[in-house]
Amino acid sequence: MSELLLPPIGMLAELTHRCPLQCPYCSNPTELMKANRELDTQTWLYLFRQAADLGVLQVHLSGGEPTLRRDLEQLVAGLSSRGVYTNLITAGVGIAEGRIRALAEAGLDHVQLSFQGARAATTERIGNNRGSHEKKLETARRVKAAGLPLTVNAPIHRHNIEEVPDFIELALSLGAERLEIANVQYSGWALVNRDALMPDRASVERQVEIVEAARERLRGIMNIDFVTPDYFATYPKPCMGGWARDAFMVAPDGTVLPCHAAHTIRSLTFERFGDRSLAEIWTDSPAFNAFRGTGWMQEPCRSCDRREIDWGGCRCQAMAIAGDPAATDPACAKSPIHARMSMLIEDALATARADGSNDATTFVYRRIAAVQEPV
């Protein structure tokens, strides 16, 4: 690796895989960890201190559902004491009254609240949890009452893509400062459910028009971030800002990875915090260095003028579709197998027409059990 190695500035901490919802689009691995494999409070606090020493400026506290950790306030306070910005990524279901305010008092900076649908029936069907929509609305109210900024996160797929206008109005009604229209990325449980989740191209194109119009209309009122769907893209996104370039994630058991789906690259071995320090893993881990920078790239990436824009795109997507984590991301129009993305879309839609997966009856719901990911 010849490129200058900079310190990381961001970290995703998956505190637990436990969750009251069973969303079929979840990016967690299909082999979910039980509570007895989670790092304890003191180990997380030690890890967070090392992250701050390493240069991390913001930590996204995620899961599963991070509020199922009884020590969440203590973890937030530990990060706040080091001046690290904290963002809680939550499903907003089952949070006790007063908990949000307690987290704010501990130093929490921001809440990102996910909605499976803009309508109650959709939220409850996708999350497989009755009454969850109203609980989310109440959580949003408590976030605002605690004086915390709010982001509404809308994971988009075939079963809610027509609700994008309603998501925009929902976020406005809740006083959200930001709305994230996040088209589902196909890893983990989402990859298992790809045929049941994939939208058609016409719906995606309508979505883009709606989002662009809303961005213009709501400029200065609410920010709308749009995560484009890779399968419909011309060029790939820089995954996590580029493989091990400025961010990393930690799984509930302390395994440190460049991104949430990196475990799908079976040829790499990822190290656990405690066996080595964060600094050693960030700097010296063979897995972190495997696709860092541009030296690993094959053609056409190696000579492409976008190589330091998208940093090769998603290595996990290359693994899932091309069977080679070093291949050009198939989302890129320059990939020799780019056409395979369109074929996968058509295959998914054909399967949906054949087996009825235009409704939710074919979902493989997220549960603590082993499910083999397709290749």
Side-chain angles (χ1 to χ4, degrees):
M1 184 192 65
S2 59
E3 292 84 359
L4 176 65
L5 178 59
L6 299 175
I9 60 173
M11 171 184 165
L12 173 65
E14 289 189 344
L15 301 177
T16 181
H17 281 164
R18 292 172 289 146
C19 187
L21 302 187
Q22 298 178 344
C23 303
Y25 62 79
C26 183
S27 62
N28 280 161
T30 54
E31 295 184 15
L32 296 167
M33 298 180 193
K34 296 183 179 181
N36 62 1
R37 294 181 61 188
E38 296 171 13
L39 297 183
D40 63 23
T41 305
Q42 293 306 314
T43 304
W44 272 117
L45 288 172
Y46 184 40
L47 187 154
F48 289 150
R49 289 196 294 272
Q50 287 199 15
D53 290 342
L54 190 56
V56 168
L57 301 176
Q58 55 183 338
V59 170
H60 304 276
L61 300 165
S62 181
E65 175 49 54
T67 60
L68 291 177
R69 293 280 306 212
R70 296 180 181 178
D71 57 359
L72 185 57
E73 289 87 344
Q74 191 175 350
L75 300 181
V76 168
L79 287 163
S80 179
S81 70
R82 294 297 305 270
V84 176
Y85 184 94
T86 50
N87 173 38
L88 175 65
I89 303 174
T90 178
V93 175
I95 302 177
E97 185 174 359
R99 188 91 193 274
I100 296 295
R101 188 168 295 280
L103 288 165
E105 291 172 353
L108 185 67
D109 293 295
H110 183 273
V111 174
Q112 182 171 321
L113 175 61
S114 64
F115 279 83
Q116 287 64 46
R119 305 164 192 163
T122 308
T123 298
E124 294 170 11
R125 183 174 71 251
I126 301 301
N128 202 26
N129 186 296
R130 295 185 64 181
S132 57
H133 194 79
E134 182 54 45
K135 295 172 185 176
K136 291 170 181 288
L137 296 176
E138 179 58 31
T139 295
R141 289 189 282 268
R142 291 173 179 173
V143 169
K144 298 305 293 183
L148 291 169
L150 172 68
T151 288
V152 168
N153 178 249
I156 301 297
H157 47 79
R158 181 192 306 156
H159 299 271
N160 65 7
I161 195 167
E162 300 303 328
E163 296 182 23
V164 167
D166 301 318
F167 275 117
I168 295 168
E169 295 308 312
L170 173 65
L172 282 170
S173 72
L174 295 176
E177 287 80 5
R178 176 173 167 267
L179 167 64
E180 183 174 322
I181 302 291
N183 284 271
V184 165
Q185 308 297 301
Y186 294 99
S187 63
W189 293 87
L191 185 57
V192 171
N193 286 287
R194 182 171 58 191
D195 286 352
L197 295 171
M198 185 76 71
D200 60 68
R201 188 172 296 277
S203 296
V204 171
E205 291 173 352
R206 284 196 302 272
Q207 174 194 216
V208 171
E209 292 175 359
I210 291 166
V211 170
E212 288 304 316
R215 278 175 161 172
E216 185 62 31
R217 173 170 59 92
L218 298 174
R219 191 181 303 275
I221 299 172
M222 182 175 70
N223 292 324
I224 302 179
D225 287 345
F226 183 64
V227 179
T228 57
D230 286 345
Y231 281 56
F232 298 86
T234 302
Y235 296 114
K237 297 185 293 294
C239 179
M240 293 278 288
W243 181 277
R245 184 167 175 266
D246 59 18
F248 63 94
M249 71 145 292
V250 181
D253 68 347
T255 301
V256 186
L257 304 108
C259 73
H260 64 273
H263 67 278
T264 61
I265 303 177
R266 305 296 187 183
S267 59
L268 299 180
T269 299
F270 299 100
E271 299 172 85
R272 289 184 59 189
F273 175 74
D275 298 334
R276 298 181 82 196
S277 69
L278 276 186
E280 289 170 330
I281 295 171
W282 177 257
T283 304
D284 299 326
S285 168
F288 271 60
N289 285 320
F291 304 112
R292 184 175 256 155
T294 61
W296 60 272
M297 292 181 178
Q298 304 173 0
E299 293 293 352
C301 295
R302 182 181 292 273
S303 58
C304 180
D305 58 6
R306 293 181 55 84
R307 64 185 178 277
E308 294 188 9
I309 297 174
D310 57 41
W311 300 99
C314 181
R315 298 302 87 221
C316 305
Q317 189 157 259
M319 181 71 240
I321 297 174
D324 178 5
T328 300
D329 186 337
C332 182
K334 298 182 181 183
S335 165
I337 63 168
H338 180 65
R340 194 176 299 180
M341 302 294 270
S342 296
M343 293 171 59
L344 287 167
I345 295 167
E346 292 307 314
D347 288 349
L349 297 176
T351 300
R353 290 189 292 268
D355 69 9
S357 56
N358 277 317
D359 61 37
T361 59
T362 60
F363 284 157
V364 179
Y365 281 108
R366 174 195 188 281
R367 293 187 175 94
I368 298 283
V371 175
Q372 185 174 0
E373 295 184 0
V375 295

